[in-house]
Amino acid sequence: MSSNTLDRSLVLDAVRVTEAAAIASWTMVGRGDEMAADQAAVDAMRNALNDLNIDGEIVIGEGERDEAPMLYIGEKVGRGGPAVDIALDPLEGTTLTAKAMPNALAVMAWAPKGTLLNAPDTYMDKIACGPGYPAGVIDLDKSPAENVRALAEAKGVDPSQITVCVLDRPRHAEIIAAVRAAGARVNLITDGDVAGVINTADPATGVDLYLGSGGAPEGVLACAALKCVGGQFQGRLVFRNADERARAARWGVTEFDKKYDLHEIVRADAIFAATGVTSGALLDGVGFKDGFVHTHSLVMNSSTGAVREVRMKRRV
């Protein structure tokens, strides 16, 4: 086995971790308490990770040690075993969960030690598309209209047949207007840009392109997923002040204006797993029926190209 390839047994371990977090956070769906929902997911994911035979280190987590009591960046997890970098979001969509809205997920990825970008907790400008297009068909330095037209040409369709996913935020008003002016559709999402990026790789969602700024840690998680299915991604860190630049420097970032592509963010084969908390375009949510808990997960392994849907049913 290559040092840049993870053992296949870690595929099922990954999905067990996200299942645990999803089930725990589901108990808080619709209760209006974002912090409690997040804490339930964090506790369950941490316990699941510490039950595994891995030598894991959180490189994308809930913040730095002084900011997050659980799953902080730099925390060690596991009983010992293969050395892995771990990127996670125990509950991607805390607001979605608290309000019982669609598309909340428990998400995690891991890769061999030292191969995931230590992205600071800042914003990142992002662009992504799914597989099957020529390399470089999209570019962060092109305008939204240029990217829409380039993708439409590569797909062999009119720009009116392109759908672009964008986070519904005031900062994206110009992007939204430009995409619509180019003739494309805009699919606005309230939260959950990891799922938004992944949707570009699933034809069933109807999403062709993702554009906009969101959390840099979520960018790393999305890249791990796209690494498995051959999509394209570019990201550039966005710093709002000197403190954010200093934080990035502590994590080894030296080129503050660098445009990263997918394979610079995830530099080796990776395993990605996500479990639905509330039902959405990508996955069904957790359900309880007749004394059983049901979950719907997606797990991917870039070393084999395998993408599996996993439905679990367990008595409770």
Side-chain angles (χ1 to χ4, degrees):
M1 183 176 66
S2 164
S3 61
N4 278 343
T5 301
L6 296 178
D7 190 285
R8 293 186 190 182
S9 66
L10 290 176
V11 170
L12 287 178
D13 284 340
V15 80
R16 290 186 187 107
V17 171
T18 57
E19 283 174 352
I23 292 168
S25 56
W26 185 88
T27 62
M28 300 304 299
V29 168
R31 299 184 184 276
D33 192 335
E34 296 182 18
M35 290 185 64
D38 191 44
Q39 189 66 56
V42 166
D43 290 346
M45 187 170 276
R46 187 173 192 265
N47 290 338
L49 285 167
N50 279 325
D51 275 342
L52 298 180
N53 294 319
I54 58 169
D55 176 13
E57 180 175 351
I58 308 299
V59 299
I60 299 291
E62 296 281 283
E64 296 183 48
R65 184 170 188 170
D66 59 347
E67 300 169 348
M70 297 290 195
L71 295 172
Y72 56 84
I73 297 169
E75 183 174 354
K76 305 288 188 179
V77 293
R79 296 176 171 176
V84 294
D85 282 351
I86 302 172
L88 50 82
D89 191 341
L91 182 55
E92 211 236 345
T94 53
T95 301
L96 300 177
T97 302
K99 295 181 177 181
M101 296 172 68
N103 294 313
L105 303 172
V107 183
M108 190 193 71
W110 46 33
K113 179 75 174 172
T115 61
L116 292 181
L117 177 71
N118 283 74
D121 191 10
T122 63
Y123 280 101
M124 175 186 276
D125 287 333
K126 307 172 190 178
I127 186 170
C129 69
Y133 297 107
V137 66
I138 56 171
D139 195 305
L140 202 56
D141 291 328
K142 292 180 180 177
S143 70
E146 288 172 326
N147 281 303
V148 165
R149 288 193 291 267
L151 198 63
E153 183 178 351
K155 193 176 180 180
V157 300
D158 187 81
S160 64
Q161 300 303 306
I162 296 296
T163 297
V164 183
C165 182
V166 184
L167 268 175
D168 190 5
R169 300 288 187 272
R171 65 179 181 269
H172 291 150
E174 290 185 9
I175 290 176
I176 293 166
V179 167
R180 287 174 173 159
R185 299 183 180 92
V186 175
N187 175 18
L188 292 174
I189 56 174
T190 57
D191 287 283
D193 65 342
V194 173
V197 172
I198 296 171
N199 283 345
T200 66
D202 183 356
T205 67
V207 173
D208 300 291
L209 183 67
Y210 181 90
L211 275 175
S213 64
E218 287 82 359
V220 176
L221 280 159
C223 278
L226 288 186
K227 180 102 174 182
C228 299
V229 293
Q232 297 182 42
F233 181 100
Q234 290 181 345
R236 181 183 285 117
L237 297 172
V238 177
F239 303 102
R240 293 169 293 184
N241 51 52
D243 286 345
E244 289 189 352
R245 284 178 174 261
R247 175 178 291 187
R250 286 203 302 275
W251 296 113
V253 175
T254 57
E255 300 178 72
F256 294 118
D257 298 319
K258 179 178 174 62
K259 180 173 64 177
Y260 294 91
D261 74 15
L262 188 156
H263 301 292
E264 291 174 305
I265 294 174
V266 182
R267 298 185 295 275
D269 282 315
I271 292 169
F272 172 90
T275 300
V277 177
T278 59
S279 294
L282 191 66
L283 293 166
D284 295 333
V286 176
F288 285 86
K289 184 178 180 181
D290 299 329
F292 289 87
V293 59
H294 301 255
T295 62
H296 185 201
S297 302
L298 190 67
V299 60
M300 313 179 191
N301 184 354
S302 70
S303 68
T304 62
V307 178
R308 293 180 175 89
E309 282 192 59
V310 180
R311 291 190 180 271
M312 187 273 291
K313 177 181 177 181
R314 186 178 70 209
R315 187 175 294 279
V316 293

